Amino acid sequence: GAVVSQHPSWVICKSGTSVKIECRSLDFQATTMFWYRQFPKQSLMLMATSNEGSKATYEQGVEKDKFLINHASLTLSTLTVTSAHPEDSSFYICSASPPVGSHEQYFGPGTRLTVT
Amino acid sequence: AQSVTQPDIHITVSEGASLELRCNYSYGATPYLFWYVQSPGQGLQLLLKYFSGDTLVQGIKGFEAEFKRSQSSFNLRKPSVHWSDAAEYFCAVATGSGNTGKLIFGQGTTLQVKP
C-alpha cells in the first residue's frame, strides 16, 4: 500500500514552454502533498506544500507564478513549470501524506525535467 | 532553526562489513525522525522511522537506527552490507504538527560497496 506515482517520469521541453507534472496517490487519499526539487548529487529541497482544495504554500525563494501547483482532488496534485528555462532542469519529486496524522510521507519516483 | 546534518558525504565499505551512517538533528521538540534510501534516478524509499517509544528501531532490508536524545543523533546501522545497498541515504526530521509536517533532509550520504 501507500503508492505514489508521477507522470511523466522524464520530459524534455523547449525553453519558454510549460510542462505539467502529475502526482497521484494510488491507494490512499492525500490531504497534503509536497513538491521537492533535487539537483544532482544534492539533497531534496522542499518547494511547496499542497493542500487539497486550497492554495499551495510555497517555501521562501520559490516563485509561485513560475511553479504552479494545483491539488484538485485527494489523489492528484499537479506541478506546472511555466515558461521553462534551462535552469529549471532538475529532478522533481512529489510526496503525499495520508489524512491520519503520522508525519509520514510517501514519495513518488520522480520526474526528470530537461529544458533545452 | 531545525536542521539535519549528515557528516559523511561519501562512505565506502566492503561487502559483508558493518555499516554506520551518522545523522545529527537540531529540533526543539520531540523529533519525528526518518531514514530514506534513494537509488540513482529514483524516488525515496522509507527504511525506518522513529516517533516515540523504543529508541532502537528496526527497518526494512536489515537496517536499524538508534535514537539518542542526549546526542541529538539518529544513526543508521547494518551489521552486514550487501552490494545492493549501494545508494544515497537521507536522514530527515519532520517539523510541524499533524500530518502536514514538513520534512527537513540532511545532505545525504553516498554509500559505495566494494566487492
Side-chain angles (χ1 to χ4, degrees):
Chain A
V3 178
V4 176
S5 70
Q6 280 185 243
H7 178 81
S9 56
W10 59 271
V11 57
I12 301 173
C13 71
K14 292 188 176 181
S15 188
T17 62
S18 297
V19 61
K20 180 184 287 187
I21 302 170
E22 293 185 348
C23 176
R24 293 181 185 271
S25 55
L26 299 184
D27 50 5
F28 67 98
Q29 293 183 328
T31 52
T32 304
M33 289 185 170
F34 301 86
W35 286 96
Y36 296 86
R37 183 173 182 176
Q38 185 180 33
F39 292 102
K41 304 293 185 183
Q42 294 189 26
S43 188
L44 281 74
M45 180 189 76
L46 179 65
M47 298 174 67
T49 302
S50 165
N51 290 294
E52 187 266 337
S54 63
K55 290 184 178 180
T57 301
Y58 291 80
E59 294 299 301
Q60 191 172 11
V62 178
E63 300 175 61
K64 59 181 67 175
D65 294 330
K66 180 167 188 61
F67 299 100
L68 301 179
I69 292 172
N70 183 277
H71 194 157
S73 76
L74 286 171
T75 59
L76 173 65
S77 176
T78 60
L79 167 68
T80 301
V81 183
T82 63
S83 186
H85 290 281
E87 57 264 32
D88 299 324
S89 299
S90 192
F91 194 53
Y92 292 89
I93 304 176
C94 74
S95 69
S97 283
V100 177
S102 69
H103 290 270
E104 289 202 48
Q105 294 183 26
Y106 300 98
F107 286 82
T111 297
R112 173 74 59 193
L113 169 64
T114 301
V115 184
T116 61
Chain B
Q2 301 92 346
S3 65
V4 177
T5 302
Q6 293 178 243
D8 305 303
I9 296 175
H10 191 278
I11 282 183
T12 300
V13 299
S14 298
E15 189 169 17
S18 63
L19 170 71
E20 182 171 36
L21 302 182
R22 296 183 291 166
C23 172
N24 294 98
Y25 68 90
S26 173
Y27 187 61
T30 300
Y32 296 85
L33 295 160
F34 305 82
W35 273 101
Y36 289 90
V37 61
Q38 183 181 33
S39 297
Q42 301 295 315
L44 274 66
Q45 181 182 23
L46 178 67
L47 287 175
L48 47 77
K49 62 191 177 188
Y50 171 78
F51 289 169
S52 64
D54 193 347
T55 56
L56 183 63
V57 294
Q58 302 296 322
I60 62 171
K61 303 184 179 184
F63 286 93
E64 66 177 28
E66 186 171 11
F67 170 62
K68 292 185 177 180
R69 184 185 298 275
S70 62
Q71 299 177 19
S72 297
S73 68
F74 188 56
N75 295 347
L76 181 71
R77 300 193 294 249
K78 186 170 185 177
S80 178
V81 170
H82 188 263
W83 64 266
S84 60
D85 293 324
E88 188 81 13
Y89 291 80
F90 292 98
C91 180
V93 62
T95 67
S97 59
N99 67 320
T100 58
K102 303 176 187 178
L103 285 178
I104 296 177
F105 286 89
Q107 302 91 320
T109 297
T110 302
L111 173 64
Q112 183 179 1
V113 180
K114 293 189 302 184

